[in-house]
Amino acid sequence: MKTKLFLLLTPILLSCFALLPVVRAAPSPSNVNVVNTPNVNVVNTTASPVQVRDADNPARQPFHAEVRGGFADGASTTGDIPITTVPAGKVLVIEHVSVFGAMLPGQKMVRARVMYRFSVFGHSVVISAQGSNADGSSDYFVASEPVRFYAGDGLVSWEAERDSVAGANPTGVDINCDGYLVDCPDCAP
């Protein structure tokens, strides 16, 4: 009886294994040919670079600014430090802000803020302590945040604050802002 059962079940089991998916090797990489008409402004027409643009919104004009500032002796804030002036008829959209602060030993950077129209509107970023440099002459602080900050025509600036008023630190804070400008005909005066 066991032999008959074995002879009956063996082909069924083998057919089950035959139905399992077969592991296949990944397809090999292949070259991609990009066809592009030559740009009439390119001197060497044999080199025809691929044009890059924001396919979602071609009206966006990329924006990047890096600004440096610091603290005067006796001051706990940097005061307003200009980043840019948004032209009339445009809106600046800041999408990312990063801050790096090199503070005097024992001092902390407690706040960094991007402002529009002299702090009527603003956004503060979260500051994180990173430790000291190798020789102990600076304590480092950073912030890096995605944001959505809109600024119409006018001045965009930033300000940082420390927990002390002792000692000058004239170039201790860098701020980077990334985003884009958009035409805004309704925003023109």
Side-chain angles (χ1 to χ4, degrees):
M1 177 74 174
K2 288 183 183 179
T3 305
K4 288 182 184 178
L5 185 60
F6 176 75
L7 291 174
L8 181 64
L9 291 178
T10 300
I12 293 172
L13 277 170
L14 290 175
S15 63
C16 288
F17 284 112
L19 294 175
L20 290 176
V22 178
V23 176
R24 296 182 184 138
S28 61
S30 59
N31 291 330
V32 175
N33 185 23
V34 177
V35 179
N36 188 19
T37 57
N39 185 340
V40 292
N41 295 325
V42 176
V43 175
N44 179 3
T45 58
T46 59
S48 183
V50 175
Q51 301 298 312
V52 178
R53 66 179 177 85
D54 184 349
D56 293 336
N57 188 346
R60 293 181 179 178
Q61 301 149 27
F63 173 82
H64 172 79
E66 180 175 357
V67 184
R68 177 174 286 172
F71 303 92
D73 193 9
S76 64
T77 67
T78 59
D80 292 347
I81 298 174
I83 295 172
T84 190
T85 299
V86 180
K90 303 242 184 220
V91 171
L92 173 61
V93 181
I94 297 176
E95 294 187 307
H96 191 268
V97 174
S98 62
V99 177
F100 172 78
M103 306 303 294
L104 298 172
Q107 293 184 4
K108 295 178 185 150
M109 187 164 72
V110 295
R111 183 174 64 91
R113 178 181 159 128
V114 177
M115 299 172 294
Y116 167 58
R117 295 208 179 185
F118 300 104
S119 73
V120 173
F121 306 103
H123 179 80
S124 294
V125 293
V126 177
I127 304 295
S128 298
Q130 299 299 300
S132 301
N133 64 353
D135 66 4
S137 62
S138 294
D139 291 341
Y140 294 146
F141 297 84
V142 298
S144 181
E145 286 186 21
V147 296
R148 183 64 60 139
F149 184 75
Y150 299 92
D153 66 315
L155 182 66
V156 177
S157 60
W158 70 273
E159 175 183 69
E161 184 176 356
R162 63 182 174 168
D163 69 343
S164 176
V165 293
N169 190 0
T171 60
V173 184
D174 294 334
I175 187 165
N176 285 276
C177 296
D178 296 291
Y180 56 89
L181 288 158
V182 178
D183 292 333
C184 181
D186 297 335
C187 300

